[in-house]
Amino acid sequence: MQIDDSRPIWAQLVDEFRRRIVAGEWAAGARVPSVRELALDLGVNPNTVQKALGEIDRLGLTATERTAGRFVTADESAVAGGRAALAEATADRFAAEARGIGMSLAEAADLLSRRWALHDDAPDATASREKPERKAP
Amino acid sequence: MNTPLAIEVTGLTKSYRGRTALDGLDLRLAPGQIVGLMGDNGSGKTTLLKILAGVLAEWEGSVRVAGHAPGPESKATVSFLPDASFLPDAHRPADSIDLYARFFDDFDPSRARSMVEFFGLPWDRTLKEMSKGMREKLQISLAMSRRARVYLLDEPISGVDPASRDVILRGILSNFDDDALLLISTHLIQDVEQIVDSVLFLRAGSVLLHGGADELRAEHGMSLDALFRKVYTS
Amino acid sequence: MIGTLIAQDFRATRKSLVAVVGIALLVVAVSLTMTALRVPVIGQIGLVVGIIAAVMLTLVVLGLLVENYWRTMYGREGYFTMVVPVRGRTLFFAKVVYGLTVAVVGAALSALGLVGAAVAFALSQRQEPLEFLRTGLGMVEPWMAWFAAAALLLQIAYLVVVGAGIMSIGAQGRFNHLGFGAPVLGAVLVYLVMQVVTFAAIMVVPFGVVMVGPDAGSLVPRGMLNEFIAVLGDDPATGSTQPPNVLGLGFVFTSAALIALMAWWGARAVDRHTSLR
């Protein structure tokens, strides 16, 4: 994960954790790695991780059980909702930029279907939902 | 929850033969965070750390570290890592670990040994035979293996190659006790950007800026490094 | 903690001390052997070298102690010493106790070396060494021997405590820009002042020892001032000049006072004025 120092880091972590959940990297119902593990992994301050995880809890994507720890929600609709939110944000960015350079919807859709195949090595969310243990390359 | 402050400084003034190093400095730092202490040369960073560590006397004002004025009680729970090498040249890593174990009750030798392994330091080489980066790693292993309430690290990554800096910061992060206060002074802000909770900018002996890292990023729309440059060239 | 500190000092200086003492004793042994074996020319030189080496042993040991004190308290190793959770005065006293112990041992070895020189000299003159020693000791009044031993111990205590005190005072914030030069200047100053003070004490303080005559060795409440004036103002017409027969011992009080002062001041300097650079 590339961290942009010019924006609040906790917000970027929220995006990253959300992405991991909807992409299935953090499988539904699975345990979320500890604050310390994540902090070391990402090279960031544990308090920042804590804050981001708190936000993910608030978004309903994870839940903390007092003794057992923090788990990704098994609630499919919550995850789907998260996916939808992220996808919408991505689509909004694309639409705004594409329209900004004067593209039409047809041109944009055509462009998208041509470029889609180039990202075969990206984590495939469909496959992950069927095989929760598969890790992203 | 009302946790006592880890560091409480009021009106701290220190002069060296006419030159003022710290000018009525006020500071309140709660535990459970990593604070970046930044400033140009002559800002008073090292002077502040030395006073907090109890190795520099003759100052005015009020200083309380881990609940005590700098003295034996504070030293028992404050881990200070100075800028330069402070161990005997003839020591091998195990000798330094033994030294720390002898004098500090809160020292954890097994943690120190793991860190020496983590850094890949040679057990059979003396400090004199080691490179600067290796000496720094050993000293950090010792400083971070004390279960202290306050850690004062003076330029732990300066003069060390970039690859080692990463490893050292990782070592620091992984051995940081969550309830402690870690105060890191550095001029390599980019390197510590992601691990600090808050920053303290010093200039000419007083606090120029003090705030949470993310809050400052949101407020100014730039990295701490960029903010530092902006603030210090104004 | 004092025990740990002293043990640490021993650990840190053990190798150097052993090396220095070993070399000195070796030189003493070899040169005195030359003397005892009556080797021409080298034997006579050997006696001088042996005596010098025996005396140098203590001086070098003291030098080592000074170096260790300065390096571990105010050199870069000071950054370890000064964060150890003890009061400054505890550090000071631990180092002084260690210094005194090592210095006394060194002085004892030096004394042994000098005895060895006497033995070697006796052998070189084809005299029986034990007889020689006995005769020599016979010339010395018992009180003089005790006096000499006490004076030596006082001198050692003086050097160690005053030395440590001067170094710690010189390392205070307002002097430490001079580095080691500050204690050097301090030592010169103390020396000059003590020369004057000691002289005055010997003259004026009413505490002396009779040196000659039937009550030699007895302590009397007299300083040397009268004797001194008498010697100065001696009229050749009234008879022969009498050498002073009372040795003023006032310097014992002034030395002890300085030792106490430096102990207090040095400990205070470490406690309240430590300013590592």
Side-chain angles (χ1 to χ4, degrees):
Chain A
M1 179 197 174
Q2 271 292 85
I3 291 184
D4 178 1
D5 289 331
S6 66
R7 294 187 296 122
I9 295 179
W10 79 276
Q12 297 172 57
L13 293 181
V14 168
D15 288 341
E16 171 62 14
F17 296 159
R18 192 162 37 180
R19 187 198 64 76
R20 290 187 186 187
I21 291 172
V22 304
E25 271 175 51
W26 287 358
R31 201 155 203 272
V32 171
S34 72
V35 170
R36 185 159 283 269
E37 246 182 272
L38 286 170
L40 277 172
D41 207 30
L42 298 161
V44 295
N45 184 293
N47 290 329
T48 317
V49 171
Q50 185 79 304
K51 191 172 179 190
L53 288 175
E55 180 63 17
I56 300 289
D57 274 355
R58 202 189 62 80
L59 291 172
L61 291 170
T62 52
T64 307
E65 271 135 71
R66 223 183 320 259
T67 44
R70 190 180 260 109
F71 293 84
V72 178
T73 182
D75 181 1
E76 285 280 349
S77 59
V79 178
R83 180 177 299 110
L86 267 184
E88 227 174 77
T90 310
D92 282 344
R93 275 199 297 276
F94 174 68
E97 288 200 37
R99 290 183 75 161
I101 54 171
M103 261 192 168
S104 72
L105 179 58
E107 285 174 317
D110 179 51
L111 175 66
L112 207 51
S113 50
R114 274 186 291 119
R115 303 297 291 184
W116 192 266
L118 289 170
H119 295 274
D120 271 345
D121 55 349
D124 190 335
T126 328
S128 300
R129 259 185 291 166
E130 285 160 2
K131 292 180 199 147
E133 310 86 36
R134 195 188 118 198
K135 279 189 76 94
Chain B
M1 191 167 61
N2 202 16
T3 42
L5 291 172
I7 289 178
E8 203 173 344
V9 172
T10 314
L12 180 60
T13 302
K14 167 74 185 173
S15 309
Y16 291 102
R17 295 164 54 71
R19 189 178 70 81
T20 308
L22 293 176
D23 193 7
L25 188 129
D26 292 317
L27 188 56
R28 270 158 206 41
L29 294 175
Q33 56 170 331
I34 298 180
V35 181
L37 180 62
M38 295 150 186
D40 45 14
N41 290 334
S43 57
K45 291 184 308 204
T46 298
T47 303
L48 175 62
L49 288 175
K50 283 185 185 176
I51 289 176
L52 293 171
V55 300
L56 188 60
E58 296 166 330
W59 39 265
E60 289 135 44
S62 153
V63 174
R64 295 199 86 70
V65 187
H68 302 277
E73 300 92 347
S74 72
K75 289 175 185 178
T77 184
V78 171
S79 183
F80 177 48
L81 178 69
D83 201 349
S85 176
F86 57 88
L87 297 164
D89 277 336
H91 267 202
R92 293 191 171 77
D95 300 315
S96 301
I97 291 177
D98 287 341
L99 180 68
Y100 263 68
R102 250 174 247 133
F103 285 101
F104 298 109
D105 286 334
D106 63 1
F107 182 69
D108 183 353
S110 55
R111 201 201 244 185
R113 282 190 284 270
S114 317
M115 283 189 82
V116 169
E117 292 288 334
F118 168 75
F119 286 130
L121 298 174
W123 288 100
D124 59 354
R125 230 181 274 184
T126 63
L127 275 156
K128 193 167 185 183
E129 297 160 346
M130 288 189 197
S131 67
K132 176 159 190 198
M134 290 160 101
R135 277 200 292 275
E136 190 60 58
K137 286 170 181 169
L138 176 63
Q139 294 190 170
I140 285 180
S141 304
L142 296 167
M144 296 307 298
S145 296
R146 281 190 58 193
R147 298 188 182 281
R149 280 174 56 194
V150 175
Y151 296 85
L152 305 169
L153 310 182
D154 194 357
E155 304 275 0
I157 53 174
S158 313
V160 165
D161 64 278
S164 295
R165 279 183 222 151
D166 260 344
V167 173
I168 286 173
L169 288 168
R170 235 180 134 66
I172 289 174
L173 206 56
S174 57
N175 286 281
F176 171 58
D177 283 324
D178 291 329
D179 316 312
L181 170 73
L182 187 72
L183 190 53
I184 298 188
S185 119
T186 183
H187 60 273
L188 297 166
I189 300 169
Q190 271 190 314
D191 287 295
V192 303
E193 278 267 8
Q194 292 162 22
I195 73 163
V196 295
D197 280 291
S198 58
V199 290
L200 205 53
F201 286 176
L202 286 191
R203 177 160 43 187
S206 45
V207 177
L208 187 59
L209 189 68
H210 180 194
D214 272 345
E215 283 82 355
L216 287 171
R217 285 182 188 108
E219 186 186 328
H220 296 270
M222 59 179 74
S223 69
L224 298 172
D225 187 44
L227 181 61
F228 182 86
R229 284 163 211 265
K230 178 180 165 207
V231 154
Y232 280 84
T233 50
S234 62
Chain C
M1 187 57 94
I2 285 200
T4 316
L5 289 166
I6 294 176
Q8 187 57 36
D9 262 326
F10 177 62
R11 225 177 257 113
T13 52
R14 186 177 44 199
K15 279 203 182 120
S16 322
L17 284 174
V18 165
V20 158
V21 168
I23 291 173
L25 290 177
L26 190 68
V27 168
V28 167
V30 168
S31 8
L32 292 182
T33 308
M34 296 292 128
T35 311
L37 292 177
R38 296 186 284 272
V39 176
V41 182
I42 297 181
Q44 279 99 312
I45 296 176
L47 183 65
V48 174
V49 169
I51 291 174
I52 291 178
V55 171
M56 285 295 285
L57 188 154
T58 298
L59 293 176
V60 176
V61 161
L62 286 171
L64 262 172
L65 289 171
V66 166
E67 192 271 333
N68 183 60
Y69 188 87
W70 187 256
R71 190 189 70 251
T72 57
M73 297 283 271
Y74 305 107
R76 52 185 194 79
E77 284 181 42
Y79 280 99
F80 175 78
T81 309
M82 294 302 178
V83 295
V84 166
V86 289
R87 292 195 64 185
R89 56 189 58 230
T90 311
L91 284 174
F92 182 79
F93 286 125
K95 292 234 181 268
V96 163
V97 166
Y98 178 68
L100 286 171
T101 313
V102 169
V104 165
V105 170
L109 289 173
S110 284
L112 233 83
L114 291 174
V115 167
V119 167
F121 180 70
L123 289 172
S124 73
Q125 307 293 70
R126 297 172 204 271
Q127 288 183 32
E128 230 277 87
L130 290 172
E131 265 308 307
F132 183 76
L133 286 174
R134 229 170 275 139
T135 331
L137 283 169
M139 288 198 289
V140 173
E141 306 272 337
W143 70 265
M144 280 174 105
W146 287 117
F147 178 77
L152 183 64
L153 285 173
L154 183 72
Q155 184 64 21
I156 289 175
Y158 184 93
L159 288 171
V160 171
V161 176
V162 173
I166 290 177
M167 281 193 277
S168 280
I169 294 163
Q172 283 183 178
R174 58 189 160 140
F175 305 127
N176 70 5
H177 60 280
L178 294 169
F180 193 67
V184 168
L185 284 172
V188 170
L189 197 66
V190 166
Y191 176 74
L192 292 174
V193 168
M194 284 314 283
Q195 287 294 93
V196 174
V197 168
T198 307
F199 181 74
I202 291 176
M203 289 297 128
V204 166
V205 173
F207 181 62
V209 65
V210 179
M211 291 199 292
V212 293
D215 24 294
S218 54
L219 296 169
V220 291
R222 291 200 329 250
M224 284 180 83
L225 188 60
N226 293 331
E227 320 254 343
F228 203 68
I229 292 174
V231 169
L232 285 176
D234 238 338
D235 185 348
T238 62
S240 56
T241 344
Q242 281 279 57
N245 70 336
V246 169
L247 176 64
L249 293 179
F251 68 89
V252 170
F253 296 119
T254 49
S255 298
L258 187 70
I259 291 173
L261 176 70
M262 281 297 160
W264 171 82
W265 197 354
R268 195 164 194 269
V270 184
D271 240 3
R272 300 195 195 186
H273 298 283
T274 294
S275 297
L276 295 184
R277 297 196 295 158

